[in-house]
Amino acid sequence: MATIHVDETTGSDETGTGTSEQPYQTLAFALFTHSDAKLLTRKDVGSAYDEPTQSAVKKARKGADGLEKKRKKAEELAAREAQDKAAERERREKLIEESKKIVLVEDPALPVAKKAKIGHLEPLRGQRVKVSGWVHRLRSQKDIIFIVLREGTGYLQCVLSGNVAQTYEALTLTLESTVLLVGTLQPVPEGKTAPGGHELVVDFWKVLGGAPGGDEAFTNRLNEKSDPSIMADLRHLVLRGETASAVLKLRAALMSSFRESLVSHDLLEVTPPCLVQTQVEGGATLFKFNYYGQDAYLTQSSQLYLETCLPSLGDVFCVQESFRAENSHTRRHLSEYTHLEAELAFIDFNDLMTHIEAIICETVDKLLANPTTAGLIKQLNPNFTAPARPFLRMSYVDAIAWLNEHGIQHEAEDAEGNVVKDEQGNAKMVDHAVGDDIAEAAERRMTDILGVPMFLYGFPAELKSFYMKRMPREEAHGGHLFTESCDLLMPGVGEIVGGSMRMTGQDELLAAYKKEGIDPAPYYWFTDQRKYGTCEHGGYGLGVERFLAWLANRFTVRECALYPRWPGRATP
């Protein structure tokens, strides 16, 4: 005879097996599952197992009887459900067979349908229209089928009833199939809602391209619980979702608004090359390749080329892809990103920051003034408010003091740049000092605490690119020289714009090349800008994906690119 153990404190009726190591929790369950076994019980792990009293067994038998009744009831319910499912399956199979006999033919007596895009239907209410798109949502209710149709311009609710809803195609329709629908466009009834405020009452339709069901059904391949790596692999399907498509529609509107704002400030758009033979932000982050037997790189920035445009074209900007070979997996880094860059002549450092601020604010104002784009922002970022001007301006030196005052530290590093760790293997944290590169985490904490857009300016020369103009020596601090450079930081994202004034003197630039160990020969065309009529000038680069992440309240910039690229990811 088997011996079954029960521990009233640590046992489990769900995961226990009845052994002394894995006991059940209740005597009733032990009797229910092992009616003829020898039973031993204990109150807790500190007690010894012993035979239960007769009164305990009697009480437990009632509980076991109750469990048995529940089991039988569950079996009966399962049997009924199976019977109902079989009957429903038989009914559906019969219905499908009957549906194959129904052939839809468009009624020639009806008015000719006007072909239209979903987003342009409102003027056609009360008329017969023809639309095509993808089945975004699908629902059956009695003998009526409701379809939410999707194409790039919007969403449309469509109603199929009668013969139209009884065809084989209607009964086997799947999500993401493409269909052509013809019917009368009607305002939705009082008290009801639908995209656009109208719905299509369908009188004729056909499937243009079916999508699979079963294991290959769209929702089986991709849903809101899918792992991020699967989402990345299936980015082409993710784009069909309402959120992803809204982000990309907002991105398109954002680019148009940026261009409009820049042109209104007399900047001309140009198109610099992506294949280059010079560096801008440092050789360690260059993607190098063989270009017809020569070394070449994917551009890190178009800034140098923009500077060459100033003498003939005036102030200029470009929207270009930039590439950084940084092995960085943070939520604000991409290996390929859209870089909006501008260069302006005859300005000073204060003019530069004021210009950046104006372009940002005017662009946001344009988006909010347009009902369509304002709706996208509201959908993606309900609490968004336009930034107030003027933006906060804080010097690098003041920022170092602010971080220390607020107890925001950074990881200590040795002379080789390795993180210093304590005996437990944890990174040693230290206060910031002038000369430190403010880490992303500290920078973002500061921005989030302040809660407003902020220009952080005047970075040490050793932390910045060779071409940046130095501040006057009287502003030196602790042996450090500073640059007329700035980063625009936004709450929740951090840096979205980096800019600076540029060196104007040829000798100064040649000295900078030498200090950085850069051969000046390939830069002859850049150096010539200081030789043939130099001027005070400056510019900036804005990361479009970072700006969009701030605007649309996205957790990562990977959501803000059509097909994002980061270390290890170049698919699809």
Side-chain angles (χ1 to χ4, degrees), residues 12-24:
S12 172
D13 291 343
E14 286 76 29
T15 61
T17 59
T19 64
S20 58
E21 294 80 15
Q22 292 181 289
Y24 295 127

Side-chain angles (χ1 to χ4, degrees), residues 460-476:
E462 62 266 27
L463 300 180
K464 288 298 180 179
S465 298
F466 69 91
Y467 54 77
M468 292 187 179
K469 183 179 180 180
R470 274 46 173 174
M471 286 183 169
R473 285 191 173 270
E474 57 265 23
E475 294 190 34

Side-chain angles (χ1 to χ4, degrees), residues 440-461:
E440 176 190 339
E443 182 182 84
R444 197 164 61 239
R445 262 191 87 189
M446 176 172 63
T447 311
D448 290 348
I449 290 171
L450 293 169
V452 293
M454 177 180 75
F455 280 111
L456 189 58
Y457 69 90
F459 294 92

Side-chain angles (χ1 to χ4, degrees), residues 326 330 332-333 394-413 429-448 450 454-464 480 482 485-489 493-495 546:
E326 297 176 85
T330 77
R332 68 175 194 171
H333 280 89
M394 181 184 291
S395 73
Y396 164 86
V397 173
D398 288 343
I400 292 293
W402 189 97
L403 290 168
N404 291 335
E405 287 169 8
H406 288 77
I408 299 173
Q409 297 182 309
H410 70 103
E411 295 177 343
E413 295 183 353
M429 303 302 290
V430 295
D431 287 343
H432 288 81
V434 173
D436 289 342
D437 192 359
I438 300 175
E440 176 190 339
E443 182 182 84
R444 197 164 61 239
R445 262 191 87 189
M446 176 172 63
T447 311
D448 290 348
L450 293 169
M454 177 180 75
F455 280 111
L456 189 58
Y457 69 90
F459 294 92
E462 62 266 27
L463 300 180
K464 288 298 180 179
H480 295 278
F482 299 94
S485 59
C486 63
D487 287 347
L488 177 58
L489 312 179
V493 178
E495 179 195 346
R546 288 189 185 180

Side-chain angles (χ1 to χ4, degrees), residues 201-447:
V201 180
V202 177
D203 59 58
F204 175 78
W205 74 288
K206 60 182 177 181
V207 175
L208 302 177
D215 292 341
E216 280 294 297
F218 186 85
T219 50
N220 284 337
R221 292 196 68 192
L222 183 72
N223 55 62
E224 59 186 18
K225 295 181 180 179
S226 295
D227 184 87
S229 63
I230 294 175
M231 301 274 273
D233 288 338
L234 300 181
R235 178 67 177 169
H236 60 294
L237 300 182
V238 170
L239 296 178
R240 300 185 180 207
E242 292 175 28
T243 299
S245 61
V247 170
L248 293 175
K249 287 176 182 177
L250 181 57
R251 178 187 168 115
L254 173 64
M255 299 315 301
S256 295
S257 296
F258 264 131
R259 284 186 165 97
E260 189 179 337
S261 297
L262 289 159
V263 169
S264 73
H265 283 259
D266 296 320
L267 274 76
L268 181 75
E269 184 170 7
V270 295
T271 310
C274 277
L275 308 181
V276 301
Q277 292 188 300
T278 51
Q279 69 183 52
V280 180
E281 299 297 333
T285 65
L286 285 165
F287 283 108
K288 184 178 180 180
F289 62 97
N290 183 296
Y291 184 70
Y292 299 104
Q294 304 177 61
D295 287 341
Y297 314 95
L298 295 177
T299 184
Q300 302 165 312
S301 167
S302 298
Q303 175 215 316
L304 306 190
Y305 294 97
L306 293 182
E307 289 190 44
T308 68
C309 298
L310 295 177
S312 58
L313 302 178
D315 298 343
V316 290
F317 76 96
C318 70
V319 180
Q320 182 71 281
E321 299 307 294
S322 284
F323 304 84
R324 302 284 171 91
E326 297 176 85
N327 191 22
S328 179
H329 294 262
T330 77
R331 60 190 179 99
R332 68 175 194 171
H333 280 89
L334 291 170
S335 298
E336 175 188 12
Y337 67 97
T338 303
H339 209 174
L340 189 156
E341 298 181 86
E343 201 72 21
L344 299 94
F346 305 108
I347 61 169
D348 61 25
F349 189 34
N350 185 64
D351 294 334
L352 177 65
M353 288 189 282
T354 300
H355 166 84
I356 295 170
E357 180 180 295
I359 295 299
I360 295 292
C361 292
E362 289 171 22
T363 298
V364 170
D365 289 344
K366 287 178 174 65
L367 292 170
L368 292 175
N370 182 301
T372 300
T373 51
L376 289 171
I377 294 172
K378 185 71 174 176
Q379 173 189 340
L380 296 165
N381 190 1
N383 298 320
F384 180 80
T385 55
R389 298 169 69 176
F391 292 172
L392 175 66
R393 297 185 184 187
M394 181 184 291
S395 73
Y396 164 86
V397 173
D398 288 343
I400 292 293
W402 189 97
L403 290 168
N404 291 335
E405 287 169 8
H406 288 77
I408 299 173
Q409 297 182 309
H410 70 103
E411 295 177 343
E413 295 183 353
D414 60 22
E416 283 76 39
N418 301 311
V419 175
V420 178
K421 296 184 178 181
D422 59 23
E423 294 178 357
Q424 287 72 41
N426 299 315
K428 183 181 178 182
M429 303 302 290
V430 295
D431 287 343
H432 288 81
V434 173
D436 289 342
D437 192 359
I438 300 175
E440 176 190 339
E443 182 182 84
R444 197 164 61 239
R445 262 191 87 189
M446 176 172 63
T447 311

